[in-house]
Amino acid sequence: MIEKMNFVTLAGPRNQIDYLVDNYLSKHDIHLENALSELSANDNFTTYTDENPFRSKLNESHELCQLLDDTNNVPTYDIDILSAEKIIDDIDSTLNEIRSKINELEKERLLIDEDYEKLSYFKNLNYTLRKIRNMKFFKYRFGKLPKADYEKFISYLDSEINEVFISTYETNDTVYGVFFAPDEYFDEISNDFRNIHFDEIAISTKYQDTPEIECSKLAKQQLELTQRIDELQESIHTIVEDHKKDLVSAARKIESAYSNFNVRKYSAVTRQSGLSFQVLCGWMTVKDSLKLQKETDDDPNVMCIIGDEDEEHKTTPPTKLRNLRLFKPFELFVKMYGVPGYDEFDPTWFLTITYSIIFGMMFGDLGQGLVLFIGGLILYKLKGLNLAGIASFAGFFSCIFGALFGSFFGFEFESVLNPLHSTIKLPFLGTISTVLVAAFLFGSFMILTTMILNIMVAFKQRNIGKMLFGPNAISGFIFYGSIILMIVLYMTKHPLPGTAVLLIMFIIPLLLIFLETPLRNLINRHSPVIDESPGMFAATAFFEVFDYLITYLSNALSFLRIGVFAISHAAMMQVTMTLAGAENGGTPNIAVVIIGNIIVMAMEGLVVGIQVLRLEYYELFGRFYEGKGREFVPYRKKEHNK
């Protein structure tokens, strides 16, 4: 159901907004509105424009808390805001010194990584770098070149040319190595290598031994630096864990201060004058608003004014749902479609019952239903997953219809109805599956039920036109109900009503649906009654009525999928039993039975769940529910989710 709301106006000293929040607003759920908008006609009010001074400290505290293993079960204590900020500053200062050391070590490790990578390409060079640099008559260059250019260069290389290239490492497209050339030919040789895209790799002069030995030394330094960085990182973790209680207490206080200051953006304050107070406005449940008013009665500095939903306000009341714990998980599906408007009905109870019944019909098996019921219940209790709660409730109805259909993990027993074999003989249609007939009648009943709900919503909204005229109004209910009644009478071979009765049941309601727009305009005193020309109105209304008639038929036929899935489920389980060798009283292969049940539950369970939701949204909700409301979000929760 939707909680009744009151509009609450809270006024207090201008410079004591924290007092208002801590002593009153923090104790109750209130959906704050912009007070200045409510008081827009009054020029004596303005709003706060100051930036929240706790933003940076809030971010710092959150970053520090993220270093903790767990913040949920930490005992906290009350602390003033200055002490809280000092705790954050002290811890952050200590950690910054450690972070500075870590940054220096990481820069050092990065340089070593770069040098290691350069030298690793030349590990196969069995010469010390010292000897190479100390050569008197030769010069050298380390580097790399494209493999295609290198192979072409080698094929044309003259044995008498004054150069030597030593390849040390190759990839699919690159060759690494070093070339040597006499001093007098070095410039010429260098130019040749540049022509084949030789890219020099500079090796620092501090490395003197062979590249392989130097790489071993660098690897050892890398390991030592990594260990030192890890030790410093662990020291950060140790520090925050040792100060966990202080840190979390300070963070909570800063969050509260930040949240309290943000209340200012919702408040209206008096301009600089003799008076100096501020006003906060918002929606509260009737129960909470009365409690708040009682609490403020003895406070001379605070005034609480309560206005009900019928008074004129700039904003519409938000929607707060209150349902039985059994129905709570299904609020997920309702909100997926849209939050109910404050002037609508909460369809959670309706969806809970209809979704579960339809799911049970389509997925009727006593054993599989028990698995869904127990498994979903356990997950819902342990994890609080709404989908698990939905699965559990739907599984319960699967058990009921499984018992009616006589199926337990595919094993059949005596039952009221067998989806595969139960049939009924009807005039004109002949022999037809009983579950298909039941699905059609159930769908028709559901459509009529949603029409009644639409009429009730229109009555609640005091919208007489919506209640009387239209395909889902009283006129539509009489017309569609008459059609279903005629079908039932004909199929059961009962006499049909006379012409006069048929005229009242069909023609008059259809005419009222045809004239829906002008009749609503007349009731609402809207002028003109018809916005377009009579001819254009007649043509538009005719096609709309024709569309309504098609929709009536398609909606009812859409519910046949309930029977189709019931038959399909029974057929799939029969196939499973056949594969397991359980036909004709044979001993079944238990492994095949288990695997078959798992496959059917995983595949068909998901499809059925989606199909039922589709029926709810497209065939039922669209007739009575708009879902254009806004959710009631308590200020504390709103700030916490930012």
Side-chain angles (χ1 to χ4, degrees), residues 92-307:
D92 199 46
S93 177
T94 302
L95 297 188
N96 281 338
E97 293 178 8
I98 300 174
R99 292 189 184 109
S100 179
K101 294 178 183 177
I102 291 174
N103 288 336
E104 292 175 4
L105 293 175
E106 286 180 339
K107 289 178 182 179
E108 184 179 347
R109 186 173 61 179
L110 180 62
L111 294 175
I112 291 176
D113 290 344
E114 292 175 354
D115 287 350
Y116 180 89
E117 182 181 10
K118 292 177 182 178
L119 288 167
S120 65
Y121 295 122
F122 307 104
K123 282 184 178 181
N124 294 330
L125 187 64
N126 296 320
Y127 300 96
T128 64
L129 297 173
R130 184 189 308 107
K131 289 182 179 180
I132 292 175
R133 292 194 187 93
N134 292 337
M135 289 187 300
K136 293 184 178 180
F137 305 107
F138 285 85
K139 292 183 179 180
Y140 66 93
R141 288 291 185 272
F142 290 91
K144 62 180 180 179
L145 68 162
K147 194 169 187 177
D149 292 340
Y150 169 71
E151 291 174 347
K152 187 183 295 184
F153 177 75
I154 292 298
S155 64
Y156 290 107
L157 189 63
D158 188 345
S159 60
E160 295 182 0
I161 195 168
N162 294 307
E163 67 87 16
V164 175
F165 182 83
I166 300 176
S167 174
T168 57
Y169 183 77
E170 293 186 13
T171 65
N172 291 333
D173 53 8
T174 306
V175 175
Y176 294 85
V178 57
F179 75 83
F180 300 89
D183 287 348
E184 62 268 29
Y185 299 109
F186 185 78
D187 292 340
E188 179 184 347
I189 299 300
S190 294
N191 188 56
D192 290 340
F193 271 89
R194 278 194 296 271
N195 290 335
I196 59 172
H197 306 101
F198 182 81
D199 187 11
E200 183 180 353
I201 297 176
I203 304 296
S204 175
T205 56
K206 65 182 178 182
Y207 301 112
Q208 300 292 321
D209 220 320
T210 64
E212 184 174 8
I213 293 175
E214 293 293 350
C215 281
S216 297
K217 295 177 182 177
L218 290 174
K220 185 177 179 181
Q221 293 179 41
Q222 287 174 321
L223 181 60
E224 291 174 351
L225 286 171
T226 300
Q227 290 175 344
R228 289 170 62 189
I229 291 172
D230 290 343
E231 289 172 359
L232 290 172
Q233 293 283 13
E234 183 60 30
S235 69
I236 289 178
H237 181 262
T238 301
I239 290 172
V240 294
E241 286 294 331
D242 289 345
H243 295 82
K244 177 187 290 188
K245 186 176 180 180
D246 294 333
L247 175 56
V248 175
S249 298
R252 296 288 183 267
K253 183 61 180 180
I254 292 172
E255 286 175 355
S256 176
Y258 177 84
S259 178
N260 289 357
F261 192 91
N262 270 358
V263 170
R264 288 165 170 79
K265 67 185 179 184
Y266 294 99
S267 67
V269 296
T270 53
R271 297 181 184 275
Q272 298 300 327
S273 63
L275 296 174
S276 180
F277 65 93
Q278 61 189 338
V279 177
L280 288 169
C281 300
W283 294 96
M284 300 179 71
T285 63
V286 173
K287 183 179 179 181
D288 279 351
S289 65
L290 294 176
K291 281 184 179 180
L292 177 63
Q293 189 177 52
K294 187 175 181 180
E295 290 172 4
T296 59
D297 281 345
D298 298 328
D299 193 332
N301 295 319
V302 178
M303 179 174 61
C304 181
I305 302 172
I306 296 178

Side-chain angles (χ1 to χ4, degrees), residues 368-566:
Q368 294 173 2
L370 281 172
V371 172
L372 285 177
F373 173 67
I374 297 172
L377 187 61
I378 292 173
L379 278 176
Y380 184 63
K381 290 289 186 181
L382 295 178
K383 302 292 185 180
L385 299 175
N386 286 327
L387 283 177
I390 293 170
S392 178
F393 200 69
F396 175 76
F397 280 84
S398 291
C399 294
I400 294 175
F401 284 96
L404 293 175
F405 294 163
S407 178
F408 183 80
F409 289 119
F411 294 98
E412 295 185 356
F413 55 87
E414 289 295 327
S415 62
V416 176
L417 182 67
N418 188 305
L420 285 176
H421 305 115
S422 296
T423 59
I424 186 173
K425 190 172 183 179
L426 297 174
F428 183 71
L429 296 177
T431 301
I432 189 170
S433 173
T434 304
V435 294
L436 291 179
V437 175
F440 176 82
L441 293 175
F442 176 79
S444 300
F445 172 75
M446 293 309 304
I447 291 173
L448 289 170
T449 301
T450 55
M451 289 180 179
I452 293 174
L453 291 176
N454 181 66
I455 294 168
M456 293 171 65
V457 170
F459 180 78
K460 181 181 180 182
Q461 297 172 344
R462 301 173 185 175
N463 190 334
I464 304 302
K466 179 181 177 180
M467 183 174 66
L468 295 176
F469 312 115
N472 298 308
I474 292 176
S475 55
F477 178 83
I478 295 173
F479 177 77
Y480 186 76
S482 300
I483 292 176
I484 300 303
L485 178 61
M486 293 301 100
I487 292 174
V488 172
L489 290 175
Y490 178 77
M491 292 300 176
T492 55
K493 299 181 180 179
H494 285 79
L496 301 179
T499 304
V501 176
L502 291 176
L503 180 68
I504 296 173
M505 296 171 69
F506 290 104
I507 304 302
I508 294 178
L510 197 62
L511 184 61
L512 293 176
I513 294 173
F514 180 85
L515 297 172
E516 174 187 0
T517 300
L519 289 174
R520 284 196 184 189
N521 287 340
L522 279 173
I523 291 176
N524 296 328
R525 298 180 180 179
H526 174 77
S527 183
V529 175
I530 300 176
D531 294 327
E532 58 261 309
S533 65
M536 180 61 69
F537 162 75
T540 303
F542 172 80
F543 285 109
E544 286 180 351
V545 170
F546 182 76
D547 181 62
Y548 293 151
L549 295 176
I550 297 297
T551 302
Y552 283 142
L553 177 63
S554 64
N555 288 162
L557 293 178
S558 186
F559 280 91
L560 290 178
R561 73 187 66 205
I562 297 175
V564 172
F565 271 93

Side-chain angles (χ1 to χ4, degrees), residues 311-326:
E311 295 180 9
E312 187 175 344
H313 297 287
K314 296 292 193 303
T315 57
T316 57
T319 302
K320 183 178 183 180
L321 302 181
R322 186 185 68 185
N323 288 295
L324 297 174
R325 189 175 181 184
L326 192 65

Side-chain angles (χ1 to χ4, degrees), residues 326-327 330 347-357 393 397:
L326 192 65
F327 296 170
F330 287 87
T348 303
W349 61 272
F350 175 79
L351 184 140
T352 302
I353 296 170
T354 56
Y355 185 95
S356 302
I357 291 175
F393 200 69
F397 280 84

Side-chain angles (χ1 to χ4, degrees), residues 10-162:
L10 199 65
R14 175 173 179 163
N15 59 349
Q16 294 186 23
I17 194 165
D18 290 344
Y19 172 80
L20 285 177
V21 174
D22 289 336
N23 288 277
Y24 298 112
L25 297 187
S26 63
K27 298 177 182 179
H28 306 281
D29 287 342
I30 179 169
H31 185 108
L32 288 176
E33 303 289 1
N34 191 316
L36 193 63
S37 297
E38 286 289 328
L39 303 171
S40 58
N42 195 324
D43 294 333
N44 294 323
F45 288 92
T46 184
T47 187
Y48 284 99
T49 57
D50 299 340
E51 185 178 353
N52 196 317
F54 303 105
R55 182 181 298 277
S56 61
K57 281 292 178 286
L58 180 72
N59 294 334
E60 289 177 28
S61 65
H62 284 175
E63 289 174 3
L64 292 175
C65 286
Q66 287 175 359
L67 300 174
L68 294 171
D69 294 332
D70 180 30
T71 59
N72 294 325
N73 301 314
V74 179
T76 59
Y77 57 89
D78 193 21
I79 186 174
D80 62 81
I81 187 62
L82 293 178
S83 299
E85 290 180 321
K86 186 176 186 305
I87 288 173
I88 298 300
D89 287 339
D90 290 345
I91 295 176
D92 199 46
S93 177
T94 302
L95 297 188
N96 281 338
E97 293 178 8
I98 300 174
R99 292 189 184 109
S100 179
K101 294 178 183 177
I102 291 174
N103 288 336
E104 292 175 4
L105 293 175
E106 286 180 339
K107 289 178 182 179
E108 184 179 347
R109 186 173 61 179
L110 180 62
L111 294 175
I112 291 176
D113 290 344
E114 292 175 354
D115 287 350
Y116 180 89
E117 182 181 10
K118 292 177 182 178
L119 288 167
S120 65
Y121 295 122
F122 307 104
K123 282 184 178 181
N124 294 330
L125 187 64
N126 296 320
Y127 300 96
T128 64
L129 297 173
R130 184 189 308 107
K131 289 182 179 180
I132 292 175
R133 292 194 187 93
N134 292 337
M135 289 187 300
K136 293 184 178 180
F137 305 107
F138 285 85
K139 292 183 179 180
Y140 66 93
R141 288 291 185 272
F142 290 91
K144 62 180 180 179
L145 68 162
K147 194 169 187 177
D149 292 340
Y150 169 71
E151 291 174 347
K152 187 183 295 184
F153 177 75
I154 292 298
S155 64
Y156 290 107
L157 189 63
D158 188 345
S159 60
E160 295 182 0
I161 195 168
N162 294 307

